[in-house]
Amino acid sequence: MDKSWMDFPRTSEKYEAGLQMFLNYAFSRSSCDGMILCPCKDCGIGVCVTKIEAYDHLKVVGFIKGYNNWIAHGELSNYNEATSNSENTSIGVSNGTNDMQDLVHDVFGMPHGTNELNREGDFPISEAEKFYKLIDDSQQDLYSGCKNFSKLSFIIRLLHLKYLGKMSNKIFNMLVELLREAFPEAMTNLPSSYYEAEKLMNTLGLGYEKIDACPNDCSLYWGSAEKRASCETCNELRWVVSENNPTGEKRKIPQKVLWHFPLKARLQRLFMSSKIASQIRWHEEKRTKYGCMRHPADSPTWQTFDHLYREFAKDCRNVRLGLASDGFNPFNNMSSTHSTWPVVLIPYNLPPWMCMKQPYFMLSLLIPGPSSLGNNIDIYLQPLVKELTELSDFGIQTYDASQKENFQLHAALLWTISNFPGYAMLSGWSTKGEYACPVCHKFTHA
């Protein structure tokens, strides 16, 4: 089924015709009394709507980014048929096993079509073991005689359904258990829980690190303080002990946890795609330089930085980053005084039509509430600051798929983006009183 219309402007005739085709397709397979789960960006396949409401949402807001396989609207049953008939169509559907192998090659920055690592290189043994394990999983049939799914592809499809349907971990575990009971011989390769499936995501470079923190925001149990049992500032205990569970064991539960998403591997992954890697050089090779500010590269800040750090500026692939942070209430209850702080990085090397799009936003830290952090936010920024310092001073060996070469990637943080209270927290400048304005200083006329 041709879905190229999904990339056209929503005002175009092709998008209108394609939208009508999707609505007819989805509602002909609906089992919800004339309603479907709306795949628009606002509803996120989480709200049932009528055909008129679905049309309005998809015309005004548009589809969720990347929703090209209409799994939640009846296309799952046709997936196998489309795969088996791919050889007879003019535009074939790629083989699932090959797709998974290409995915593994992208993760490890290797050319497609080879399953052998370069033995002469300095490839770490642990990384080699991960690579070969994933290659084996991508080639291993889900069960004897299964040609449509490998072990890796089936697990990824299950996780994809979990995220699209906003399924809880408990329901996911129950689903996996049901599949294993119903098809005991076929599902021996299936993970027994979401925890095991999540470890696969970590191997693919989509993991995170959890760092215990003092509930009073005094310090992190990280680095030299990793093994401490209490805060060295306020003496608050690191853990609370859970009540006896059915097994009679007690668990230590951290009072507060920082979620850290490592930056280095994600910057390397930008260069594993030849298309994205070539776009990262856009600001130097293709940007129109007419003296007007159309991109951060036109700003005095960028140009001054290049003048001061000439070695950094020699390679246009070195990444300039912006950092944005603000508190929000994740519980959708405005009466609750809860403030969680995400810290997001934006790579400004990309063209303006890409760098401010959601797929290229990099969630670096997720700082839990319940209260706003104030100046203590610098406690939680330590892992990110350490990574940025290492990337600036030493860099990291990276494979550029567009130029087929290794280079030393460096990164620098040029800007922060926040509202005025957030500016005070990130910079340390007091935005209250006589010197509230960071631009006017003492010349502010209150």
Side-chain angles (χ1 to χ4, degrees), residues 316-333:
C316 62
R317 293 173 293 187
N318 290 332
V319 180
R320 280 82 165 177
L321 297 167
L323 182 148
S325 184
D326 197 6
F328 77 105
N329 184 348
F331 302 111
N332 198 25
N333 183 0

Side-chain angles (χ1 to χ4, degrees), residues 1-2 10 20 46-47 53 64 67 70 122 137 212 215 239 255 273 303 349 372 394 427 430:
M1 187 184 300
D2 181 21
R10 294 193 294 275
Q20 293 294 343
V47 180
E53 291 172 332
I64 296 172
Y67 187 57
W70 302 335
D122 296 327
D137 288 346
D212 296 349
W239 299 288
Q255 295 205 53
S273 166
Q303 296 164 14
N349 290 48
S372 181
F394 310 109
S427 68
S430 176

Side-chain angles (χ1 to χ4, degrees), residues 24 37 72 75 100 235 254 278 283 343 350 393-394 405 430 439:
N24 293 335
L37 290 169
E75 198 173 22
M100 291 301 104
N235 295 322
S278 61
H283 68 92
V343 177
L350 294 168
D393 294 344
F394 310 109
E405 65 178 15
S430 176
V439 178

Side-chain angles (χ1 to χ4, degrees), residues 161-215:
L161 286 174
K162 177 188 186 308
Y163 298 133
L164 284 178
K166 301 178 181 179
M167 192 186 302
S168 68
N169 295 353
K170 183 177 180 180
I171 297 299
F172 182 87
N173 292 341
M174 294 170 65
L175 173 62
V176 171
E177 185 178 351
L178 176 64
L179 289 173
R180 293 172 72 92
E181 289 180 3
F183 311 102
E185 296 181 0
M187 298 301 168
T188 54
N189 291 325
L190 207 62
S192 59
S193 65
Y194 175 70
Y195 174 75
E196 289 189 9
E198 191 179 36
K199 289 196 290 187
L200 172 67
M201 294 294 99
N202 294 339
T203 308
L204 290 172
L206 301 175
Y208 52 84
E209 177 187 10
K210 292 198 289 187
I211 304 173
D212 296 349
C214 172

Side-chain angles (χ1 to χ4, degrees), residues 342-406:
V343 177
V344 179
L345 294 171
I346 303 102
Y348 279 127
N349 290 48
L350 294 168
W353 56 87
M354 292 177 66
C355 66
M356 295 306 293
K357 297 296 184 181
Q358 185 178 348
Y360 303 102
F361 288 1
M362 299 180 181
L363 179 63
S364 177
L365 300 170
L366 191 60
I367 307 171
S371 58
S372 181
L373 301 167
N375 290 335
N376 290 330
I377 193 173
D378 60 347
I379 298 295
Y380 295 93
L381 292 175
Q382 290 179 83
L384 175 58
V385 171
K386 183 175 184 290
E387 276 193 302
L388 290 173
T389 302
E390 292 174 353
L391 284 168
S392 176
D393 294 344
F394 310 109
I396 184 171
Q397 191 77 5
T398 302
Y399 177 74
D400 185 345
S402 64
Q403 298 188 341
K404 295 180 172 56
E405 65 178 15
N406 289 318

